[in-house]
């Protein structure tokens, strides 16, 4: 064995299948498969292996040798008896080999065709009738053997379906020495054992799969949590950066807030967007030298700035980035810049005594400079004919010159000895100069003659002057800081001077509507003035750290540019949270209410007279309504459809707004009614006063009232009309079921520390807001009556009015400190600056149906409208303001790495 090397162990066969004919060849592989695949433990080999020459003999030249080897390794010979097998030489040879070397008692017969007939008399097979018997087996059996017959029934044209399982069990029972029943029982036991094993394996695999899945889920969740924490860290960083740089780089501050919102749309990030959207600072234009002059292009997309270094720089209004090359040519500081009406050219003047014309597209100087050699040129303007330039310089005691744009030559003789230059109209048609005695002299450039006599105001020396765009008015600011308006046609003062809180006005400029004026101050502040009401619009615009030198409005009046000695120019968005238009001078107000459609303001004045005002036109509509009876307490309320007005003043009466006549008889004759509210369906009216609260059924004929037996100063229906809120005498809110008229709860007594002046429901009915004279506003859960969060603090002298915006996201309040404030309901934080303008306590506030305009009315006899559109959709507001400048490149520049880039604005 050592010499022959390793040898391969030969595996034995349980049976050798001997057959002949194509018919048997088709189904024997199935028989072999069933014999070998009988039930057994899954980890053991087959109990019986079957040799079949179609599969057990490999291709080769010595076929019989391989068959002989198969016979030698087999324990039983299974002869498939058939007429084909009877005549087959191969079957005969296999039987011969078996009989010579093994016993006939290990031969099994399976009849697949023909028949076998045993002759008892002869003790052998009947040679005539046994048509399937191979001749070699005649006379070999001592007694009749047991054989199997296969029922080969036709199925279709050529297919057979033998009882393979029956034949297989029959063969296996003989080979293994077991009965078929025992064999089937064993198979059943093995099958059960295999099933148990399979279940155990399946359970183990299931547990392993569960563990693997759990670990995978944990890994996924861990990655998701890590990503969330990373994104949250980036969000907090963006919010912090947005707040810190809001005054230095408003564009980047707004972009960072918007990026934080895109990464995580939470109340905190929404407030960051909202806070940046209402911030008036719209951009910072950094220079390295003081900035003396500013001008907007006619389309408002470009700002030109002139610095003390003699350089003119152009900036994109939207992105606050420099555009193109600077305009170089002046040798000293720039005093004035102005765009041509078509925006294609720009003119600049300087301390070097020259005026230069520039091609805006090419950034090149057009021709030679306009040079009068007369010292500083203070101002330049394009002539009304579009062919000339008008300049004002300090030569010869103050001179105005007209230049031909084509030849760059002076036209005619200059106007000399005009005095100190103050202002010029945008078309160069008129100019104003200050005289040595502190007066102002106007000049008509075309006629080269003074316009009337010298004007002398009530104040001191004029330091700045500006003509309105429509040419009808001009404003003069004196050294003390007061502003005086003049009628340009009659040259008479328009009212008394307007006193400014600060002295030292350096520059003034009219807005494009001629109704607003911007003023730049020596303390660095910039203020807006409403010329119709002669009052300041909001608080000062704070940002410059040194003297503000110049101001300019964009063509649409939405942006104000200011420049300063602090080497910066700033852009201010003056629409945000600013008063819209002139106030409505309503006169005395005992009660005021805005109609639900936002179109009509009803004011109850003295002697219960009601006047209606059109909010859009700011004019009174129709004559007054009322009885002319004095009243100490009054209330008013519109029906939900704005068609009926309820007025409580020495009684309670309903008015048809369109027809301007009473509806039916008075509900009350003499009782004071200071609180009124219609139900959402308009079928019920609640009146409250110092005597009692009554619920009126307006659907009844005549209307009937039910007294609740309490007193109140404010009432409000829930949006679904099922609950009524009234203010109690102990500074709480009581809730009533409007169906049963029963009290169903109240807010805790430990709430407000002073009388509640107003209540308001959120649009979804889940929250109630209360305004109190203890200077706080509190939010209450309508279901639990518990207070939500901390009180909203800020007002001084008591809060008198409160209302939710139509979307429920914003709360507006008014107080005795003359201010209106906006609050973000989700974060309970104040939005932007105070809305200032009233000169007495604010009595009420109301939103229009879209939530974009807030109306406030005051004891000063005015109602004011405020632009609050940024609070409705701050994301849309910022994207509209940016005008497409929030690009993917800016995301990569301003957002820390980590979060995937997202579109900042919708397409």
């Amino acid at each position: 064995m050592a010499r022959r090397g390793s040898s391969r162990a030969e595996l034995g066969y349980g049976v050798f299948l001997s057959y002949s004919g194509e018919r048997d060849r088709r189904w024997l592989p199935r028989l072999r498969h069933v014999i070998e695949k009988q039930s057994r433990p899954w980890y053991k080999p087959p109990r019986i292996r079957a040799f079949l020459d179609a599969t057990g003999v490999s291709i080769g030249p010595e076929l019989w040798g391989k068959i002989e080897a198969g016979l030698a390794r087999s324990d039983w010979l299974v002869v498939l008896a058939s007429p084909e097998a009877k005549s087959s030489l191969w079957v005969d040879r296999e039987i011969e080999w078996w009989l010579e070397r093994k016993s006939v008692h290990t031969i099994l017969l399976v009849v697949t065709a023909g028949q076998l007939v045993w002759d008892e008399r002869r003790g052998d097979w009947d040679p005539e009738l046994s048509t399937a018997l191979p001749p070699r087996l005649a006379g070999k059996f001592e007694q009749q053997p047991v054989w199997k017959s296969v029922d080969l029934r036709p199925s279709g044209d050529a297919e057979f379906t033998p009882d393979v399982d029956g034949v297989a069990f029959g063969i296996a029972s003989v080979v293994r020495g077991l009965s078929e029943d025992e064999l089937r029982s064993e198979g059943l036991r093995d099958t059960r054992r295999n099933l148990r094993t399979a279940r155990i394996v399946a359970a183990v695999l299931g547990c392993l799969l569960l563990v693997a899945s759990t670990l995978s889920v944990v890994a996924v969740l861990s990655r998701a949590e890590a990503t969330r924490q990373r994104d949250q860290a980036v969000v907090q960083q963006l919010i912090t950066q947005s707040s810190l740089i809001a005054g230095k780089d408003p564009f980047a501050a707004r972009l960072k807030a918007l990026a934080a919102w895109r990464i995580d749309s939470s109340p905190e990030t929404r407030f960051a967007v909202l806070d940046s959207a209402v911030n008036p600072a719209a951009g910072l234009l950094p220079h390295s030298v003081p900035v003396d002059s500013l001008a907007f292009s006619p389309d408002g997309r470009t700002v030109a700035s002139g610095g003390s270094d003699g350089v003119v720089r152009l900036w994109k209004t939207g992105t606050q980035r420099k555009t193109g090359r600077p305009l170089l040519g002046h040798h000293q500081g720039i005093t004035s810049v102005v765009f041509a009406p078509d925006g294609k050219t720009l003119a600049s003047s300087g301390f070097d005594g020259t005026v230069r014309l520039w091609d805006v597209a090419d950034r090149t100087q057009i021709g030679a400079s306009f040079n009068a050699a007369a010292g500083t040129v203070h101002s330049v303007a394009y002539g009304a004919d579009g062919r000339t330039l008008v300049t004002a310089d300090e030569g010869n005691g103050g001179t105005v010159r007209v230049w031909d744009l084509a030849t760059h030559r002076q036209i005619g003789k200059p106007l000399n000895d005009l005095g100190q230059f103050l202002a010029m109209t945008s078309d160069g048609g008129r100019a104003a100069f200050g005289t040595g005695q502190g007066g102002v002299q106007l000049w008509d450039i075309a006629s080269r003659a003074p316009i009337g006599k010298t004007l002398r105001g009530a104040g001191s020396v004029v330091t700045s002057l500006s003509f309105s765009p429509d040419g009808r008015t001009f404003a003069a600011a004196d050294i003390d800081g007061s502003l005086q308006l003049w009628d340009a046609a009659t040259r008479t003062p328009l009212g008394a001077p307007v006193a400014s809180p600060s002295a030292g006005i350096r520059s003034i400029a009219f807005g494009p509507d001629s109704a607003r004026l911007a003023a730049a101050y020596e303390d660095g502040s910039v203020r807006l003035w409403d010329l119709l009401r002669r009052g300041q619009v909001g608080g000062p615009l704070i940002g410059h750290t040194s003297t503000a030198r110049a101001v300019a409005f964009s063509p649409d009046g939405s942006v104000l540019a200011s420049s300063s000695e602090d080497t910066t120019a700033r852009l201010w968005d003056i629409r945000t949270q600013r008063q819209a238009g002139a106030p409505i001078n309503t006169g005395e107000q005992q009660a005021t209410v805005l109609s639900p459609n936002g179109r009509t303001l009803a004011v109850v004045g003295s002697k219960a007279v009601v006047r209606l005002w059109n909010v859009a036109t700011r004019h009174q509509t129709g004559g007054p309504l009322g009885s002319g009876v004095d009243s100490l307490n009054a209330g008013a309320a519109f029906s939900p459809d704005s068609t009926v007005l309820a007025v409580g003043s020495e009684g309670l009466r309903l008015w048809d707004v369109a027809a301007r006549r009473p509806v039916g008889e008075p509900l009350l004759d003499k009782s004071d009614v200071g609180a009124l509210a219609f139900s959402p369906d308009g079928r019920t009216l609640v009146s409250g006063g110092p005597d009692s609260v009554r619920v009126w059924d307006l659907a009844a004929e005549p209307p009937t009232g039910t007294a609740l037996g309490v007193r109140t100063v404010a009432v409000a229906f829930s949006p679904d009309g099922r609950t009524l809120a009234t203010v109690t005498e102990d500074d709480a809110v009581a809730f009533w079921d409007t169906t049963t008229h029963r009290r169903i709860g109240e807010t805790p007594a430990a709430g407000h520390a002073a009388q509640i002046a107003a209540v308001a429901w959120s649009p979804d009915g889940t929250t109630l807001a209360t305004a109190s004279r203890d200077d706080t506003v509190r939010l209450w859960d309508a279901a639990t009556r518990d207070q939500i969060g901390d009180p909203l603090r800020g007002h001084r002298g008591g809060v008198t009015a409160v209302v939710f915006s139509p979307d429920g996201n914003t709360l507006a309040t008014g107080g005795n400190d003359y201010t209106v404030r906006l609050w973000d309901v989700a974060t309970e934080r104040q939005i932007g600056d105070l809305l200032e303008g009233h000169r007495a306590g604010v009595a009420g506030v109301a939103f229009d149906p879209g939530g974009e305009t807030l109306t406030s009315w005051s004891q000063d006899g005015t109602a004011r409208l405020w632009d609050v559109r940024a609070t409705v959709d701050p994301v849309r507001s910022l994207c509209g303001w940016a005008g497409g400048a929030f690009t993917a490149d800016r995301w990569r520049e301003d957002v820390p790495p980590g979060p995937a880039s997202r579109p900042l604005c919708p397409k």
Side-chain angles (χ1 to χ4, degrees):
M1 294 294 294
R3 290 194 302 269
R4 300 183 64 169
S6 61
S7 63
R8 181 174 60 87
E10 296 291 345
L11 296 176
Y13 293 98
V15 295
F16 184 102
L17 300 176
S18 179
Y19 71 96
S20 181
E22 185 63 27
R23 180 183 60 251
D24 289 343
R25 184 186 300 276
R26 288 199 302 267
W27 71 277
L28 283 181
R30 293 171 54 198
L31 176 63
R32 176 180 178 272
H33 176 77
V34 174
I35 291 173
E36 292 186 346
K37 294 301 180 181
Q38 290 183 70
S39 180
R40 69 184 191 282
W42 61 272
Y43 52 85
K44 290 185 178 181
R47 289 191 173 102
I48 304 174
R49 297 182 70 240
F51 182 92
L52 181 63
D53 65 355
T55 56
V57 178
S58 61
I59 299 174
E62 298 182 357
L63 177 59
W64 173 248
K66 295 179 180 180
I67 292 177
E68 189 177 22
L71 289 168
R73 296 200 305 272
S74 300
D75 297 326
W76 290 80
L77 175 65
V78 177
V79 178
L80 282 302
S82 65
E84 292 84 357
K86 180 178 180 180
S87 60
S88 171
L89 293 178
W90 285 103
V91 174
D92 182 70
R93 192 172 180 180
E94 290 165 356
I95 295 174
E96 179 186 12
W97 188 96
W98 193 271
L99 292 176
E100 289 179 356
R101 293 168 177 77
K102 299 190 180 185
S103 171
V104 71
H105 300 296
T106 56
I107 296 178
L108 301 178
L109 297 175
V110 177
V111 180
T112 62
Q115 62 180 353
L116 294 178
V117 179
W118 182 266
D119 189 346
E120 290 290 348
R121 211 163 26 83
R122 297 177 59 186
D124 198 1
W125 303 104
D126 187 323
E128 300 294 335
L129 300 178
S130 299
T131 59
L133 180 68
R136 185 72 63 177
L137 292 178
K140 296 296 189 279
F141 292 93
E142 298 175 356
Q143 58 183 1
Q144 180 179 353
V146 177
W147 68 87
K148 280 277 187 181
S149 295
V150 180
D151 183 14
L152 297 177
R153 291 170 296 177
S155 176
D157 296 333
E159 294 295 327
F160 296 90
T161 56
D163 182 13
V164 176
D165 289 342
V167 175
F169 271 100
I171 295 172
S173 66
V174 175
V175 172
R176 296 191 57 201
L178 300 173
S179 67
E180 290 191 25
D181 290 340
E182 290 176 327
L183 193 62
R184 293 181 186 277
S185 298
E186 181 186 68
L188 183 60
R189 290 194 301 272
D190 289 341
T191 300
R192 289 174 177 172
R193 181 170 58 249
N194 289 342
L195 288 175
R196 286 196 300 271
T197 303
R199 292 191 185 102
I200 293 172
V201 172
V204 171
L205 292 176
C207 291
L208 293 176
L209 180 60
L210 179 61
V211 171
S213 300
T214 302
L215 292 176
S216 298
V217 171
V218 169
V220 171
L221 293 177
S222 298
R223 287 195 297 270
E225 178 62 19
T227 300
R228 189 192 67 80
Q229 292 182 1
R230 179 206 63 194
D231 288 353
Q232 282 298 313
V234 172
V235 165
Q236 291 301 320
Q237 182 179 351
L238 289 170
I239 293 176
T240 302
Q241 291 175 347
S242 176
S243 177
L244 291 176
I245 67 175
K248 298 178 180 178
D249 189 353
F251 181 87
R254 293 180 171 185
L255 185 145
K256 289 177 182 293
L258 192 57
W261 162 259
R262 289 304 184 197
I263 297 172
D264 179 22
S265 302
S266 66
E268 185 178 8
T269 56
R270 183 184 184 277
F271 180 80
V273 175
L274 180 60
D275 195 49
S276 64
V278 301
N279 187 341
L284 182 72
L285 313 181
H287 295 65
S288 58
V289 296
V291 186
D292 297 299
S293 56
L294 294 164
F296 279 94
S297 63
D299 61 7
R301 297 179 180 179
T302 305
V303 178
S305 62
S308 61
D309 56 357
V311 178
V312 177
R313 296 171 175 86
L314 299 179
W315 309 76
K316 286 294 185 183
T317 307
T319 61
Q320 292 87 57
R321 298 289 183 90
K322 293 178 185 177
T323 171
R325 301 186 306 273
L327 307 182
L328 305 176
H330 288 283
H331 305 301
Q332 296 182 43
I334 307 297
T335 58
S336 174
V337 288
V338 60
F339 281 91
D342 61 5
K344 296 180 179 180
T345 61
L346 179 139
S348 61
S349 62
F351 286 101
D352 61 0
T354 67
V355 174
R356 299 174 188 268
L357 197 63
W358 308 91
D359 186 303
V360 175
D362 295 339
R363 303 293 197 274
T364 57
Q365 184 173 324
I366 302 173
S369 61
F370 300 81
N371 192 349
T376 301
V377 180
H378 295 289
S379 181
V380 58
Y382 282 86
D385 56 7
R387 300 177 180 178
T388 57
L389 279 181
V390 182
T391 63
D393 59 60
E394 63 181 10
N396 299 319
T399 301
V400 172
R401 307 172 193 270
V402 180
W403 304 82
D404 187 297
L405 280 174
T407 63
H408 288 217
R409 293 181 177 179
Q410 190 171 325
I411 301 173
K413 294 182 178 180
L415 286 172
N416 296 321
D417 296 320
L418 302 181
Q420 178 190 5
F421 172 78
L422 294 175
M424 188 183 299
T425 57
S426 59
D427 62 359
R430 284 173 291 173
F433 287 82
T435 65
Q437 293 75 30
V440 175
Q441 179 65 61
L442 303 183
W443 288 83
D444 183 280
I445 307 302
S447 64
R448 311 173 67 81
I451 303 174
K453 296 181 179 180
T454 301
L455 304 176
R456 298 186 181 276
S460 56
V461 177
V462 173
T463 58
S464 180
L465 188 143
S466 177
F467 290 94
S468 65
D470 60 13
R472 299 177 180 178
T473 311
F474 65 90
D478 62 32
I479 197 170
D480 296 326
S482 65
L483 294 167
Q484 177 66 63
L485 295 181
W486 296 80
D487 185 301
T490 64
R491 301 187 310 108
T492 56
L494 296 175
V498 179
S500 174
S502 301
I505 297 177
R506 294 294 299 268
S507 175
I508 57 177
F510 274 89
D513 60 357
S514 300
R516 286 191 180 184
L517 187 78
Y521 291 80
E522 288 185 356
D523 62 5
S525 66
V526 177
R527 299 175 187 269
L528 290 173
W529 296 91
D530 186 323
L531 300 180
L532 297 179
R533 68 179 181 87
R534 304 299 183 89
Q536 185 174 325
V537 180
L541 302 176
I542 304 298
H544 291 299
T545 58
S546 185
T547 300
R549 289 186 173 182
V551 284
F553 281 91
S554 64
D556 64 358
S558 63
V559 179
L560 176 70
S562 62
S563 65
S564 169
E565 292 180 359
D566 64 4
T567 72
T568 68
R570 289 181 177 269
L571 303 180
W572 309 87
D573 186 346
I574 59 175
R575 295 170 300 180
T576 306
Q577 287 188 252
R578 297 289 167 179
Q579 189 172 323
I584 302 174
N585 295 309
T586 62
E588 182 185 1
Q589 299 177 9
Q590 288 192 359
T592 304
V593 64
L594 181 69
S595 63
N597 61 18
R599 300 172 184 172
T600 305
L601 192 72
V603 180
V604 182
S606 60
K607 296 184 180 298
V609 173
V610 182
R611 289 179 170 84
L612 302 180
W613 298 81
N614 185 301
V615 174
T617 64
R618 276 120 164 125
H619 293 147
Q620 184 177 332
T621 59
L625 314 175
S627 61
V629 179
D630 289 330
S631 175
L632 298 177
N633 196 16
F638 274 99
S639 62
D641 60 4
S642 304
T643 61
V644 177
L645 176 67
V647 178
S649 182
E650 277 298 310
L652 177 58
R653 177 177 288 279
L654 301 180
W655 292 86
D656 185 314
V657 176
R660 296 180 174 274
R661 62 188 178 192
V663 178
E665 297 296 323
L667 302 182
L668 291 174
D669 289 330
K670 294 184 178 180
S671 297
D672 284 334
V673 180
L676 288 170
F678 278 91
S679 63
D681 61 6
R683 299 169 61 90
T684 304
L685 176 69
V686 172
S687 62
D691 297 331
S692 66
V693 174
R694 288 183 174 87
V695 180
W696 300 91
D697 183 358
L698 301 181
E701 187 61 42
T704 58
T706 301
L708 299 184
V710 294
R711 295 181 293 178
T712 188
V713 296
V715 294
F717 274 98
S718 63
D720 61 8
R722 298 178 180 177
T723 306
L724 177 70
T726 65
V727 175
T728 66
E729 295 180 351
D730 55 356
D731 309 325
V733 175
F735 296 89
W736 303 80
D737 186 306
T738 57
T739 303
T740 63
H741 296 170
R742 291 183 178 180
R743 189 164 174 166
I744 57 176
E746 64 180 29
T747 58
H752 287 289
Q755 184 183 31
I756 296 174
V759 295
W761 289 87
S762 63
D764 61 5
T766 62
T767 306
L768 185 78
T770 55
S772 170
R773 300 191 185 279
D774 65 1
D775 295 343
T776 69
V777 176
R778 298 172 190 260
L779 301 179
W780 307 89
D781 187 304
T784 64
R785 324 290 193 231
D786 294 330
Q787 184 173 320
I788 301 172
D790 296 326
L792 309 182
R793 301 181 184 275
H795 285 285
R796 295 291 182 267
V799 189
T800 56
V802 62
V803 66
F804 280 92
S805 63
D807 61 9
N809 293 327
T810 305
L811 196 72
T813 60
N816 285 327
D817 55 2
Y818 307 174
T819 68
V820 176
R821 299 170 190 252
L822 297 177
W823 308 82
D824 180 52
V825 175
T827 60
E828 301 173 8
R829 297 167 64 182
Q830 184 174 320
I831 302 171
D833 296 329
L834 312 179
L835 305 186
E836 298 179 297
H838 287 294
R839 300 179 181 179
V842 177
V845 287
F847 284 94
D848 72 337
E852 297 185 348
T853 302
L854 178 71
T855 302
S856 63
W857 48 93
S858 165
Q859 297 168 6
D860 63 4
T862 67
R864 301 173 188 271
L865 278 63
W866 309 89
D867 186 340
V868 294
R869 71 186 70 181
T871 64
V872 178
D873 190 343
V875 173
R876 183 182 65 180
S877 178
L878 282 192
C879 289
W881 167 83
F886 289 154
T887 62
D889 291 338
R890 290 309 302 259
W891 177 287
R892 289 187 288 270
E893 292 178 17
D894 291 87
V895 179
S901 176
R902 298 165 172 84
L904 287 165
C905 294
K907 294 182 179 179

